[in-house]
Amino acid sequence: MHKLLTDEPGKKMLLLGNEAIARGAIEAGVAITAAYPGTPSSEISLNFFQMSQESDLYFEYSVNEKVSLEVTAAAANTGVRAMCVMKHVGMNVAADALVTLAYVGVRGGLVILVADDPFMFSSQNEQDSRYYAKLAGLPMLEPSSVAEAKEMTRQAFDLSEQLQEPVILRTTTRVNHSTDVVELGPISKAETRGTFSRNPMRYVTIPAVSRQLHVRLLDNLDKAMAVAEQSPFNFSEGSGPGGIICNGVSYNYVADAVQDLNLDGQVKILRLGFTHPLPEQLIKDFLGGCDKVLIVEEGEPVLEEGIKALAQEAKMTMTISGKDQALFSRLYEFDPALVREKIAFYFMGADTTATSSPARPGQAGLPPRPPTLCAGCSHRAAFHAVKKAAEGLDVIYPTDIGCYTLGMLPPLGMADFLICMGSSTGTAAGFSRTLDKKVIAFCGDSTFFHSAMAGLVNAVFNRHNFTLVILDNGTTAMTGHQPNPGVDMEKLGLSGYGRIDIAEVVKALGVPHMAVIEPYKLKKSIATLKEAFAFEGVSVVIARELCALYAKSLKIPAMKPFYVSDRCRNHKDCIDQLGCPAFFIKDGRVAIDPDRCTGCAVCAQVCPENAILPIKIKASPGDKI
Amino acid sequence: MKVTRVMIVAVGGQGNLLAAKVLGEAALLAGIEVRMSEIHGMAQRGGVVESAIVFGGARSSLIADGEADILAGFEPLETLRAVAKCNKNTVVITSTAPLPPFAAAVGKVAYPDFSSVQKQILNVAGSLTAFDAAELAREAGNVMAVNMVILGAMAATRRLPVSEEHIRETIRLKTRQNFVETNLKAFELGLSQKS
């Protein structure tokens, strides 16, 4: 049985934040779940996916975040409990659905989890998703710890039903990827069948309906504020003339700092966990007992702006500080020492210059260890083929989001522009209109279905001029091999799924030139790519080869690894052009680690001396391995 | 209870997260408060994996620069890269077996020699125990058991609030059944490292 389905209330388990969130939803009796994978939220959907195979829970990997929200929004409007999960930038994709869904509301509880990534450990920006609660007018909860994340998830469903609105549960990487001891609660049985009474004047958002629904939303916001005023997720502790208001993981750093600095009796803390709408009276009451206030929040000054406005309303004149040159930055994430230092500075006048060392020891001159495309990665083969086929052309390479984004690093250097999921095709169109360059764009299979497909439709219609290379490795590799509509689910032993062939889609979209390559076959691939690059208009080349890691996990028999034979003249083209991590230099000679080599044979085709050969099962005595 | 902060650094695939999990589960078994956090972005793509384990009553699961009580590295370069987490009382444990990043493996950049790594670590930290954990893991019967060897060496420092017996019991209960024997052997080999 899946560990998160353990029905032993009171049992203590060590859980990752994302597991705790999934467990909270199970305890609440969630019936319908959907997600597009995205770090740092990915393990929530993975656990839903696994649990759906051994319980009543429905989970789907939706094609993108907007669709996942629509699926769960409709389910919640039939009265069942639903949850959708996304990373912060996924909320941008889902935002169109989100804002009007707030007007319509829900009947069954709907929890929308959005995972922010301060410092951008694995994201293209560090936007603060709390603004979405303001934008849409929806209640928002923010846990500080893993145990609280489970509890908030569970209660968010009740809150959603009480207010008849979706609830946004906002986390940051340090909650999602922290581990804590969590006490299990009872599991509620999920209601999996819903009902829907036809009422277009309530559910069909034409202007006349929406004018009424906006009134409803504002009423609900007032109700939400009344709940926030009483919510146990907003609490204060300690006493003193100084005040700190904080949210999320910052609260942990604040609580530790107040203790470490012996500020008991001098500083009190207001921890806000129900952060939108702000509990106005609670905050005013807290401010009333303070002579100066520090707001500790990662990201944007969301609390700070709200609290300063409240103080103005209440004609309070104490100093309220937060984002400031001498205090907190909007950049990156906080840590316990930083928060302690700023609290000491703000409340004790401590000089902070001594403690913040100018240079971190042990960093200068160390060889970096960037993530790289795996040994035998089919993307490396495709990039090399594209580079060879484009020799002599002046090229710009708009790319997209996936493992292949790592192709920007040397020696491949195959990425010139990237803004978001699916942007390969749209940006390729723009570049082709203003540059006298050949435009060659890259996207992956999952990214194609997520949103790059729309840009391709646009390109066919508007007669743009570029080549799109779809790097189809048969899985959503970067986030941990989740399925996408192009994946053969039978291979995973799962039935009940359809499968969409990307080549058929491309043909059906009317792309005038399309070809499929097997990127490990370099010569043929290069010839096919050259034809596509020479084509005036939209051309698509699908590079089809399974992700090497995924193939391994599917237990597809491995090919024989290769070795560098005596014929090697040390040109090092293999290293300089491909940079496959299976290579290393030993005693000045190129060598291949047979444990890492997947036998893709791409380097063997690049070697000018044909010196790279497959290891024979029984090596003959003369062979150097 | 006194707060003990343990930082574990490794290259993706070395089993850092399992080592952290064993410490966490051992704390749960022993009834000691524990919080952990990890950064494992792109671990499968050869990046760095960091785990922080905070025992005792602290609420934060992060370890700031200068605040680790123990720093354990599965790879010498990564141990050095994390040395900013140390102070003059920090006990550092590192495997000496290098896993050079690609650019170093193919000779494009220099991989620091161990004497320089050692010197730079001791400039910041209190003590250093260094040994070839990969060799000990092989001796135990599985080169993948570097994590268990390092766990043993951490236990040998006597700075962990969880007992050796709690760790052994956790290895028995929470690591894969067919590896338990090798894992325990690797743990004992690590434990015999002098610190």
Side-chain angles (χ1 to χ4, degrees):
Chain A
M1 191 181 59
H2 194 286
K3 74 172 178 183
L4 297 183
L5 293 171
T6 306
D7 198 5
E8 290 176 50
K11 185 184 165 79
K12 286 185 176 171
M13 258 190 201
L14 197 66
L15 295 183
L16 186 69
N18 281 341
E19 293 173 331
I21 290 164
R23 170 70 189 194
I26 293 296
E27 288 183 9
V30 72
I32 301 284
T33 52
Y36 184 83
T39 311
S41 74
S42 302
E43 295 87 357
I44 306 173
S45 39
L46 175 68
N47 280 290
F48 282 153
F49 182 51
Q50 291 166 342
M51 287 189 283
S52 72
Q53 284 154 34
E54 48 181 290
S55 70
D56 280 349
L57 178 70
Y58 175 79
F59 171 75
E60 69 168 50
Y61 280 115
S62 302
V63 72
N64 64 33
E65 295 85 352
K66 176 174 180 283
V67 173
S68 74
L69 181 53
E70 290 156 351
V71 168
T72 49
N77 267 295
T78 70
V80 307
R81 289 191 158 187
M83 182 165 180
C84 92
V85 175
M86 60 195 71
K87 69 183 293 175
H88 58 334
V89 286
M91 193 66 126
N92 303 334
V93 179
D96 197 6
L98 180 80
V99 176
T100 309
L101 174 63
Y103 280 36
V104 172
V106 293
R107 283 172 48 222
L110 174 60
V111 177
I112 302 166
L113 181 123
V114 56
D116 283 13
D117 190 18
F119 192 68
M120 300 165 274
F121 290 101
S122 45
S123 304
Q124 66 270 39
N125 75 28
E126 56 178 347
Q127 70 183 43
D128 193 327
S129 300
R130 292 179 295 168
Y131 283 122
Y132 275 112
K134 282 186 100 152
L135 176 69
L138 288 176
M140 173 172 269
L141 301 180
E142 295 182 71
S144 294
S145 71
V146 171
E148 193 181 38
K150 191 206 76 164
E151 205 42 38
M152 272 191 182
T153 308
R154 190 178 66 74
Q155 293 193 33
F157 286 92
D158 296 333
L159 178 64
S160 172
E161 283 170 12
Q162 183 187 352
L163 295 169
Q164 302 274 288
E165 289 290 355
V167 170
I168 301 174
L169 182 66
R170 185 247 186 187
T171 57
T172 56
T173 304
R174 294 297 181 174
V175 170
N176 301 95
H177 286 171
S178 281
T179 298
D180 215 338
V181 178
V182 176
E183 188 175 322
L184 303 185
I187 295 177
S188 308
K189 182 155 171 44
E191 282 296 334
T192 57
R193 303 305 300 165
T195 57
F196 185 79
S197 307
R198 202 161 179 252
N199 185 359
M201 289 307 286
R202 170 72 181 74
Y203 292 117
V204 181
T205 54
I206 58 170
V209 173
S210 290
R211 283 183 201 112
Q212 299 308 310
L213 292 179
H214 197 188
V215 176
R216 175 194 167 279
L217 174 61
L218 295 186
D219 283 348
N220 274 342
L221 260 180
D222 288 343
K223 285 181 200 149
M225 191 188 296
V227 179
E229 298 282 6
Q230 302 299 323
S231 171
F233 295 136
N234 297 326
F235 57 84
S236 57
E237 59 190 29
S239 61
I244 296 176
I245 304 181
C246 54
N247 69 328
V249 291
S250 303
Y251 165 67
N252 304 324
Y253 313 149
V254 167
D256 284 349
V258 167
Q259 196 176 11
D260 292 351
L261 296 167
N262 292 316
L263 284 171
D264 273 353
Q266 294 172 64
V267 174
K268 56 180 172 285
I269 304 169
L270 175 60
R271 201 299 302 262
L272 296 176
F274 192 144
T275 52
H276 190 266
L278 281 177
E280 294 187 353
Q281 196 52 50
L282 183 78
I283 291 170
K284 284 177 186 166
D285 291 348
F286 181 84
L287 293 178
C290 300
D291 57 16
K292 69 193 288 199
V293 175
L294 184 63
I295 317 282
V296 188
E297 58 185 325
E298 290 178 328
E300 301 300 318
V302 179
L303 293 177
E304 186 180 341
E305 285 166 358
I307 290 163
K308 281 178 172 169
L310 287 175
Q312 201 278 339
E313 234 175 66
K315 298 188 168 51
M316 293 176 178
T317 55
M318 80 284 285
T319 308
I320 301 174
S321 310
K323 303 292 169 184
D324 186 298
Q325 287 284 346
L327 291 165
F328 295 108
S329 169
R330 297 180 187 204
L331 296 170
Y332 316 142
E333 65 167 4
F334 294 170
D335 71 40
L338 172 96
V339 170
R340 186 175 58 227
E341 188 183 287
K342 299 303 179 188
I343 289 175
F345 169 71
Y346 194 70
F347 292 105
M348 304 157 77
D351 181 9
T352 59
T353 48
T355 51
S356 44
S357 49
R360 289 182 92 218
Q363 297 296 304
L366 290 191
R369 194 185 295 275
T372 51
L373 293 173
C374 304
C377 176
S378 54
H379 298 332
R380 179 180 295 104
F383 282 137
H384 181 73
V386 168
K387 211 175 198 176
K388 287 288 166 195
E391 268 175 3
L393 298 174
D394 184 10
V395 184
I396 180 168
Y397 295 110
T399 189
D400 221 307
I401 293 182
C403 284
Y404 48 91
T405 318
L406 297 173
M408 79 175 277
L409 299 171
L412 297 166
M414 297 296 273
D416 290 319
F417 198 78
L418 169 64
I419 46 179
C420 64
M421 285 289 291
S423 67
S424 54
T425 44
T427 57
F431 285 127
S432 75
R433 287 286 155 187
T434 59
L435 296 176
D436 294 320
K437 286 177 186 285
K438 172 65 194 171
V439 181
I440 302 172
F442 297 106
C443 79
D445 45 341
S446 195
T447 318
F448 176 77
F449 290 113
H450 178 282
S451 46
M453 200 167 78
L456 188 60
V457 174
N458 175 71
V460 172
F461 173 64
N462 288 307
R463 292 258 171 112
H464 289 295
N465 180 18
F466 63 82
T467 301
L468 172 67
V469 180
I470 303 175
L471 301 161
D472 179 5
N473 62 356
T475 187
T476 314
M478 179 109 262
T479 45
H481 302 118
Q482 291 85 354
N484 69 58
V487 168
D488 183 355
M489 298 295 276
E490 304 275 336
K491 272 195 192 139
L492 295 166
L494 297 169
S495 56
Y497 290 92
R499 188 181 178 195
I500 294 102
D501 185 308
I502 295 177
E504 293 298 325
V505 174
V506 171
K507 268 187 237 162
L509 294 183
V511 172
H513 181 106
M514 192 208 62
V516 178
I517 59 171
E518 296 170 72
Y520 291 157
K521 296 177 181 167
L522 282 184
K523 205 171 156 189
K524 216 171 161 191
S525 296
I526 293 168
T528 307
L529 285 160
K530 274 188 173 161
E531 281 173 33
F533 297 164
F535 183 82
E536 279 289 317
V538 182
S539 58
V540 171
V541 177
I542 302 170
R544 200 184 275 160
E545 183 63 59
L546 270 192
C547 161
L549 277 180
Y550 184 58
K552 206 171 165 187
S553 74
L554 291 177
K555 306 224 166 12
I556 292 174
M559 293 172 282
K560 283 179 207 163
F562 281 63
Y563 74 104
V564 182
S565 71
D566 287 347
R567 274 187 243 164
C568 172
R569 295 284 167 272
N570 246 4
H571 298 286
K572 295 187 183 161
D573 284 5
C574 49
I575 288 174
D576 295 340
Q577 295 184 23
L578 298 173
C580 173
F583 286 108
F584 62 100
I585 301 276
K586 197 181 175 191
D587 305 325
R589 309 285 299 173
V590 179
I592 295 174
D593 179 348
D595 293 333
R596 299 187 77 178
C597 177
T598 65
C600 74
V602 170
C603 56
Q605 299 165 65
V606 169
C607 176
E609 306 287 346
N610 292 321
I612 303 177
L613 302 170
I615 294 177
K616 299 200 180 86
I617 299 294
K618 275 189 181 173
S620 52
D623 278 344
K624 253 194 196 167
I625 295 175
Chain B
M1 135 175 218
K2 189 182 155 292
V3 175
T4 305
R5 296 183 170 88
V6 179
M7 187 86 197
I8 308 179
V9 292
V11 177
Q14 281 194 300
N16 173 340
L17 298 181
L18 181 62
K21 187 182 158 190
V22 168
L23 285 180
E25 293 281 3
L28 176 59
L29 200 65
I32 293 167
E33 259 193 272
V34 66
R35 290 192 170 78
M36 318 200 288
S37 71
E38 59 200 45
I39 287 298
H40 53 88
M42 306 186 206
Q44 285 195 306
R45 316 291 179 272
V48 183
V49 183
E50 287 182 7
S51 309
I53 304 106
V54 180
F55 299 97
R59 288 178 196 272
S60 311
S61 62
L62 271 195
I63 300 175
D65 282 359
E67 305 211 327
D69 295 296
I70 300 176
L71 167 65
F74 293 13
E75 201 277 347
L77 172 62
E78 294 316 317
T79 312
L80 176 56
R81 206 191 302 280
V83 79
K85 299 289 177 194
C86 300
N87 59 55
K88 276 293 161 204
N89 294 313
T90 307
V91 175
V92 181
I93 296 158
T94 190
S95 174
T96 53
L99 282 175
F102 180 68
V106 297
K108 305 239 183 229
V109 297
Y111 186 92
D113 61 63
F114 188 70
S115 64
S116 129
V117 170
Q118 198 170 16
K119 204 174 132 216
Q120 291 184 69
I121 290 173
L122 285 172
N123 276 343
V124 186
S127 73
L128 172 66
T129 307
F131 55 91
D132 187 338
E135 188 50 46
L136 292 181
R138 261 190 296 273
E139 193 182 323
N142 182 359
V143 72
M144 289 306 293
V146 165
N147 49 6
M148 298 297 138
V149 174
I150 298 282
L151 268 181
M154 280 195 259
T157 64
R158 314 257 165 217
R159 296 276 289 265
L160 289 177
V162 288
S163 70
E164 288 161 28
E165 204 31 62
H166 280 128
I167 297 176
R168 282 193 197 98
E169 185 59 15
T170 307
I171 292 173
R172 275 181 216 116
L173 293 172
K174 298 285 174 180
T175 68
R176 273 214 232 147
Q177 277 316 302
N178 42 341
F179 291 129
V180 166
E181 215 168 297
T182 320
N183 285 343
L184 285 171
K185 200 170 165 196
F187 177 75
E188 299 303 332
L189 286 171
L191 194 59
S192 66
Q193 291 304 305
K194 285 214 177 66
S195 49

